[in-house]
Amino acid sequence: MEKLNLNPEAPEPGRVDRHLHALDYVRNELGNDEKKFESIIRNVQTLQVAIPSWALGTGGTRFGRFPGGGEPRNLEEKIEDIALLSELSRATQSISLHIPWDIPKDTTAIRQKLGHYGLFIDSVNSNTFQDQEGQLHSYKFGSLCHLDNDVRKQAIAHNLEVIEYGKALGTSSLTIWLSDGSNFPGQHHFRKVYEKTLDSLKFIYQALPEDGSLLLEYKPYEPNFYSMVIPDWGTSYTLCQACGKKANVLVDLGHHLPNTNIEQIVSRLLHLGRLGGFHFNGSQYGDDDLTTGVVKPFQLFLIFLELVFGKAEGLDNPKVAYMIDASHNTKDPLEDLLDSLENIRTAYAKALLVDREKLVQAQEKNDVVEAEKILRNAFLTDVRPLVTEARIRAGGFWDPLGTFRGQDIRKKLISIRGEKSLATGL
Ligand code: RM4
Ligand code: MN
Ligand code: MN
């Protein structure tokens, strides 16, 4: 199968004129500083966010799943979906794989297919949060933290296998999220499970290639509701530090308790040189089921501001990896992903507007009102014309979502893949 061909887009009458007009407004807001204007567009264009192979089907909760049809039936079709997203938005070029949800049968053919669409593999993710058929030892009571050597060995071996898949597919990045934890007080000896986890991670770390990277997530609760072995950035940080330079903390926005100051965590990790990357999603209470940047757009802007300032202030960090990690329970997954990609770039563009020198001056004078005003002015500026300009110049579509709907893409996918096709994932 090849990916669906998109018809060229005919922007509705007046669209281009309206765009140019709106673009002039932003130019003006920037004091007609053409250099800054152009550099923002270039920066926005370079922000490319990976898509996980497990987010292309309808997500579910433990109560149910309501699939919308036309879901990709295999890795090849997932790649085709991402090629479609890439052509529409020009904001994504890569895909993350979860093993064993997406075991590539023929790695050469997969690499060829990726190359054909100008895509690549971002990171490979291990999965020791589920038991697979035929598996010798269960992960019911943990994986890398398990007190039983045999269970731990099996979980380590799985991670080593995932590293090998990664190498065969051209990526040296391994992402680990552990569901290990406990549901009852007394169930875990906190220190012991931490030590076991560290031993296991060190072992896995040794198997990374020379240029390898290990991204370590944290999550405060779920699927365990009393304690998680890696509940917070601090725990992840100490584990990474004990492993070595190639191990870094991954911040999944949904993995925080309500009202956590995520931007401060980002700042701290950047400061310490251990910010490995992001999993973007949105949430009101917890976890990752909402579109990125809808409920808390100001927070997303503040997170990007830390990244922009960190870079401007020369903080030495590994290359930060960006991925969307959301479960699309309600919206069409492809529409949801297009929305998220757009919102991420919008937040970034707003952060790029902020006049850092003026802000630093206000901070030094303790001018709280001025400092906050600088941020709010940038945040309230409508940067959508800039984001559109970045996309159009890169060969993307004027209206990715409108095109997806207008050209009946989902209907066409259903006619090829069927109403009942189910993508692997949660
Ligand atoms: C976890 C975590 C991981 C993802 C799994 C499916 O909550 O966010 O990144 O791989 O979900
Ligand atoms: Mn995640
Ligand atoms: Mn998650």
Side-chain angles (χ1 to χ4, degrees):
M1 234 346 265
E2 281 285 304
K3 92 171 210 321
L4 285 180
N5 274 329
L6 292 168
N7 299 320
E9 185 188 28
E12 86 262 20
R15 176 76 169 95
V16 179
D17 278 351
R18 274 204 317 281
H19 169 68
L20 293 175
H21 201 73
L23 210 52
D24 273 344
Y25 153 81
V26 190
R27 235 190 220 106
N28 203 29
E29 288 291 299
L30 286 170
N32 289 311
D33 183 341
E34 202 60 26
K35 239 174 99 188
K36 184 159 184 178
F37 177 83
E38 286 298 325
S39 106
I40 294 179
I41 291 177
R42 267 199 315 278
N43 274 306
V44 169
Q45 284 176 332
T46 53
L47 182 67
Q48 298 288 327
V49 183
I51 307 288
S53 66
W54 59 98
L56 296 158
T58 320
T61 69
R62 62 178 183 271
F63 299 104
R65 187 179 187 196
F66 303 96
E71 295 187 8
R73 294 164 293 184
N74 47 46
L75 181 53
E76 285 77 1
E77 289 184 348
K78 290 180 177 189
I79 293 171
E80 284 154 23
D81 275 9
I82 292 170
L84 210 60
L85 291 176
S86 172
E87 192 179 348
L88 286 164
S89 70
R90 295 288 183 228
T92 181
Q93 303 176 312
S94 60
I95 170 168
S96 279
L97 295 190
H98 238 308
I99 308 288
W101 287 340
D102 284 293
I103 293 196
K105 284 183 202 81
D106 180 347
T107 44
T108 318
I110 292 291
R111 281 182 90 151
Q112 263 167 11
K113 192 168 183 94
L114 288 165
H116 177 67
Y117 295 126
L119 303 175
F120 56 91
I121 300 284
D122 170 65
S123 186
V124 278
N125 299 246
S126 57
N127 176 345
T128 58
F129 46 86
Q130 291 174 324
D131 283 347
Q132 307 301 329
E133 236 181 76
Q135 184 177 309
L136 205 54
H137 306 288
S138 171
Y139 296 134
K140 178 170 178 185
F141 294 109
S143 58
L144 295 185
C145 81
H146 212 288
L147 301 187
D148 183 331
N149 280 340
D150 290 337
V151 184
R152 240 178 27 255
K153 270 191 197 149
Q154 177 183 281
I156 292 171
H158 166 69
N159 276 279
L160 302 191
E161 194 192 343
V162 174
I163 293 177
E164 289 309 312
Y165 276 120
K167 281 196 213 153
L169 289 167
T171 180
S172 51
S173 156
L174 168 73
T175 303
I176 299 183
W177 169 67
L178 290 182
S179 69
D180 295 7
S182 74
N183 267 329
F184 301 97
Q187 185 184 338
H188 265 181
H189 186 301
F190 294 142
R191 253 182 300 122
K192 265 192 204 163
V193 293
Y194 177 96
E195 289 301 334
K196 294 290 178 198
T197 304
L198 177 55
D199 284 352
S200 308
L201 287 171
K202 279 185 174 163
F203 211 92
I204 296 165
Y205 185 89
Q206 298 306 323
L208 289 172
E210 192 66 37
D211 64 339
S213 121
L214 193 163
L215 298 171
L216 189 60
E217 292 191 63
Y218 56 90
K219 190 179 186 190
Y221 68 91
E222 206 217 7
N224 281 290
F225 292 94
Y226 171 66
S227 72
M228 294 284 279
V229 177
I230 314 180
D232 49 32
W233 74 269
T235 307
S236 175
Y237 173 75
T238 56
L239 291 166
C240 289
Q241 211 182 20
C243 281
K245 264 278 165 220
K246 295 183 221 165
N248 289 289
V249 181
L250 190 141
V251 179
D252 182 314
L253 299 191
H255 293 188
H256 299 90
L257 297 173
N259 302 327
T260 299
N261 187 335
I262 304 177
E263 57 273 26
Q264 192 178 22
I265 295 174
V266 171
S267 161
R268 187 85 5 111
L269 287 171
L270 274 171
H271 188 175
L272 299 169
R274 288 272 178 196
L275 180 69
F278 287 94
H279 280 179
F280 291 117
N281 47 55
S283 61
Q284 169 73 7
Y285 303 110
D287 216 356
D288 47 19
D289 298 343
L290 308 182
T291 311
T292 313
V294 172
V295 180
K296 293 172 191 152
F298 192 55
Q299 182 185 59
L300 191 61
F301 156 77
L302 293 173
I303 289 169
F304 271 107
L305 197 62
E306 291 304 326
L307 292 165
V308 170
F309 282 14
K311 192 170 172 212
E313 289 162 15
L315 290 181
D316 184 25
N317 267 268
K319 193 173 176 292
V320 177
Y322 299 106
M323 190 189 94
I324 294 174
D325 187 13
S327 174
H328 313 288
N329 302 339
T330 313
K331 295 182 185 170
D332 179 309
L334 292 176
E335 293 195 357
D336 207 346
L337 288 162
L338 285 173
D339 273 348
S340 288
L341 287 170
E342 188 81 355
N343 296 345
I344 292 166
R345 282 189 155 188
T346 303
Y348 182 40
K350 285 175 192 250
L352 289 165
L353 288 182
V354 174
D355 190 325
R356 196 172 54 89
E357 270 160 39
K358 274 200 185 140
L359 181 65
V360 170
Q361 275 168 22
Q363 287 169 345
E364 275 160 13
K365 284 192 281 183
N366 289 316
D367 191 343
V368 185
V369 173
E370 177 66 11
E372 194 195 51
K373 206 177 89 194
I374 291 168
L375 296 194
R376 297 224 1 114
N377 275 347
F379 177 69
L380 292 173
T381 306
D382 187 354
V383 295
R384 286 174 298 177
L386 276 179
V387 175
T388 303
E389 182 70 11
R391 185 174 59 246
I392 291 299
R393 285 195 197 173
F397 280 63
W398 283 93
D399 181 2
L401 192 64
T403 305
F404 182 85
R405 291 191 163 193
Q407 298 192 20
D408 283 328
I409 304 296
R410 181 54 66 188
K411 230 164 124 187
K412 289 180 188 158
L413 291 173
I414 291 175
S415 75
I416 299 166
R417 302 170 181 173
E419 280 284 359
K420 299 246 173 294
S421 64
L422 277 187
T424 44
L426 280 179

